[in-house]
Amino acid sequence: MLRHEFQPGRLVAGTFLTLTGIIYAGDAGGAWETPWFVVIPLVMGGLCLAGAVGVLTRGIRKRSAADPRPPADYR
């Protein structure tokens, strides 16, 4: 049983922010050298994509909830 509603926009945002943290952790650990300006487009792009996914999800859920057709087993 689901405890909460699945929100794909938050999943996308979390994925991009986790990736940003991994990039900074690799830089801090000395695994690679990351310029400071690389992370800004990654975070902004991830947040914009998450917003678009959230809007799309909300539109799909509203449309399916407002479906005027009766269910198939309706008599």
Side-chain angles (χ1 to χ4, degrees):
M1 183 169 172
L2 291 176
R3 295 180 186 234
H4 58 83
E5 184 178 28
F6 176 65
Q7 297 178 345
R10 289 187 180 189
L11 177 67
V12 170
T15 302
F16 274 87
L17 292 174
T18 301
L19 179 63
T20 303
I22 290 170
I23 289 172
Y24 270 134
D27 186 29
W32 55 77
E33 190 69 29
T34 305
W36 64 269
F37 55 84
V38 169
V39 177
I40 294 171
L42 185 65
V43 169
M44 293 305 296
L47 291 176
C48 289
L49 184 63
V53 169
V55 168
L56 181 67
T57 303
R58 182 174 184 199
I60 290 171
R61 287 186 179 161
K62 277 184 110 173
R63 187 172 193 165
S64 65
D67 193 7
R69 294 179 288 160
D73 60 347
Y74 182 76
R75 293 180 192 197

